[in-house]
Amino acid sequence: AWSSQNYDPRQMISPGWPWWTLTFAPYLILTVTSELWPSRQDWHGARWLLAGLVVVAGLLGVLLWVDGVLVFNENLLQSISHFSTEINFVFLLLLGLDLVFLLIAEVIVRVVRY
């Protein structure tokens, strides 16, 4: 059984990875994917597709719940909680890296400006 007392966020990282991959890989992923954000025209063309996918996913969820495949119990709640904890760790790490690199960029701009 999962418990928060024995949870270590570093468990989601493969053993033997160098420390720098934990620092620069998430930042690289964030900067590359942020440049891939769709433009206004892309969103305009895709809004009906996204709305349709949300409706289909909702109907599929309700169908799985009614059919008994998706059961809302303690095991599901613990699985979601565990997943959420890992995702929160990654988001906090990325936020911290963004703040550090934003501060470095701001300092460089101020030094160059003066």
Side-chain angles (χ1 to χ4, degrees), residues 105-114:
E106 187 66 29
V107 167
I108 290 172
V109 165
R110 289 184 186 266
V111 166
V112 170
R113 189 177 291 165
Y114 295 112

Side-chain angles (χ1 to χ4, degrees), residues 26-48:
Y27 179 73
L28 180 64
I29 291 168
L30 179 67
T31 55
V32 169
T33 56
S34 69
E35 295 299 322
L36 299 175
W37 194 255
S39 67
R40 185 179 302 266
Q41 291 87 3
D42 293 335
W43 280 119
H44 182 72
R47 69 176 175 218
W48 293 111

Side-chain angles (χ1 to χ4, degrees), residues 13-30:
I13 301 161
S14 295
W17 279 18
W19 67 269
W20 59 268
T21 59
L22 302 176
T23 305
F24 296 108
Y27 179 73
L28 180 64
I29 291 168
L30 179 67

